Amino acid sequence: GHTLGERVAKAMEGEHRSEKNISRNQYRHPVETLEFFGIEDGMTVMEIWPGGGWYTEVLAPAMRDHGKLVIATWDPAVEGQAKYRYSLPEKMKETFAKNPDVYDQVETVYYSPPESASLGEAESVDMVLTFRNTHGWVNAGQAKNIYKEFARVLKPGGVLGVVQHRADAGTDTHVTAKDGYVSEEWVKSFATNAGLVFEESSEVNANPKDSHDHPKGVWTLPPSLRLGDEDKDKYLAIGESDRMTLRFRKPN
């Protein structure tokens, strides 16, 4: 396909993806989500902490030759981080090397605040995307500063797109974040505190079957299924978590 949306639709079914990741398309709605954020050809797009690279697999081929994708991954020079912060980027590097026709243009920056706290040049990025990271930043007491860094690195008029497991309104985020959930008003407060303007929300990643209240938090649900076989059918029937999808903009 020639339009960005068509390239995303093609990428999400691509041969470079595992069956497991392809099967999650139904919960993660990459075409609609990225369209809602307003991704366009020619943009410099930064994905924060891609983890296993689910969204990177979609973004990289869609942006290739049509803009620039930058991934901000954990800084290997920072000692004492959780093991996955070293192993996942190594795995990703191998994946990139094996699939140059997909990933050869992806740039990497290292970001492990507070030690390694810069995402690069001020006003250098058109769009910052963060998928299901904010609860971790709340737990680490870093959410305010990280959102400020997003605002710094965004160009005037640039967009911050946030997808995050959604807690009930009126809940204390310091409590719910331990279960992986953050309320919309807290995410909005982090962004507006950083000088970004809330523009619009979408229910494309909503799941009304998710009660937000499970024995092992959000990780009880797929894809983690932390309880193993216990009540597995029940959690598969619920599906992946209820998620907010929010768009913020840096004033011109």
Side-chain angles (χ1 to χ4, degrees), residues 11-29:
M12 74 187 219
E13 306 290 347
E15 281 177 18
H16 64 296
R17 307 195 85 195
S18 66
E19 282 303 314
K20 194 174 148 217
N21 280 1
I22 289 173
S23 73
R24 297 185 65 198
N25 289 337
Q26 60 176 314
Y27 299 116
R28 303 202 69 181
H29 312 101

Side-chain angles (χ1 to χ4, degrees), residues 228-245:
D229 287 332
E230 189 189 328
D231 288 331
K232 189 175 181 177
D233 291 344
K234 173 181 150 183
Y235 295 117
L236 285 172
I238 293 170
E240 293 196 18
S241 68
D242 177 44
R243 294 166 193 162
M244 67 184 87
T245 306

Side-chain angles (χ1 to χ4, degrees), residues 24-88:
R24 297 185 65 198
N25 289 337
Q26 60 176 314
Y27 299 116
R28 303 202 69 181
H29 312 101
V31 174
E32 298 86 346
T33 299
L34 293 170
E35 273 177 2
F36 171 75
F37 289 147
I39 195 167
E40 286 176 13
D41 284 356
M43 281 186 170
T44 296
V45 177
M46 179 179 280
E47 184 191 0
I48 307 293
W49 286 5
W54 194 98
Y55 248 101
T56 314
E57 294 173 356
V58 175
L59 287 163
M63 294 304 291
R64 189 173 183 265
D65 293 332
H66 295 277
K68 185 158 81 172
L69 177 64
V70 183
I71 56 165
T73 193
W74 301 288
D75 190 339
V78 174
E79 289 171 18
Q81 301 180 87
K83 281 201 183 92
Y84 70 85
R85 293 191 171 193
Y86 305 101
S87 60
L88 284 178

Side-chain angles (χ1 to χ4, degrees), residues 3-224:
T3 71
L4 193 62
E6 286 168 335
R7 292 198 302 275
V8 171
K10 189 176 168 213
M12 74 187 219
E13 306 290 347
E15 281 177 18
H16 64 296
R17 307 195 85 195
S18 66
E19 282 303 314
K20 194 174 148 217
N21 280 1
I22 289 173
S23 73
R24 297 185 65 198
N25 289 337
Q26 60 176 314
Y27 299 116
R28 303 202 69 181
H29 312 101
V31 174
E32 298 86 346
T33 299
L34 293 170
E35 273 177 2
F36 171 75
F37 289 147
I39 195 167
E40 286 176 13
D41 284 356
M43 281 186 170
T44 296
V45 177
M46 179 179 280
E47 184 191 0
I48 307 293
W49 286 5
W54 194 98
Y55 248 101
T56 314
E57 294 173 356
V58 175
L59 287 163
M63 294 304 291
R64 189 173 183 265
D65 293 332
H66 295 277
K68 185 158 81 172
L69 177 64
V70 183
I71 56 165
T73 193
W74 301 288
D75 190 339
V78 174
E79 289 171 18
Q81 301 180 87
K83 281 201 183 92
Y84 70 85
R85 293 191 171 193
Y86 305 101
S87 60
L88 284 178
E90 274 305 309
K91 220 188 248 170
M92 197 178 245
K93 228 185 241 168
E94 286 165 27
T95 302
F96 285 8
K98 273 188 226 146
N99 299 278
D101 54 331
V102 178
Y103 299 111
D104 61 346
Q105 295 177 8
V106 180
E107 272 186 36
T108 302
V109 298
Y110 292 119
Y111 185 61
S112 290
E115 298 90 344
S116 173
S118 171
L119 287 170
E121 297 268 313
E123 305 193 347
S124 61
V125 174
D126 296 289
M127 181 174 281
V128 169
L129 298 175
T130 170
F131 301 99
R132 302 168 23 257
N133 299 124
T134 301
H135 55 281
W137 300 329
V138 172
N139 292 332
Q142 295 180 332
K144 256 188 171 165
N145 286 342
I146 287 175
Y147 275 75
K148 278 186 180 153
E149 180 61 8
F150 297 161
R152 189 188 69 81
V153 83
L154 278 170
K155 295 177 187 174
V159 166
L160 168 64
V162 180
V163 176
Q164 172 60 35
H165 312 297
R166 173 164 50 191
D168 295 338
T171 50
D172 180 354
T173 275
H174 295 104
V175 176
T176 63
K178 291 182 175 60
D179 283 329
Y181 293 93
V182 180
S183 72
E184 287 196 16
E185 61 259 47
W186 277 77
V187 173
K188 287 175 183 171
S189 75
F190 297 139
T192 53
N193 175 65
L196 301 172
V197 177
F198 170 66
E199 222 170 47
E200 202 183 342
S201 67
S202 164
E203 291 299 290
V204 66
N205 295 302
N207 180 0
K209 288 189 272 195
D210 177 10
S211 67
H212 310 155
D213 181 20
H214 311 290
K216 298 267 185 201
V218 76
W219 303 279
T220 315
L221 298 175
S224 301

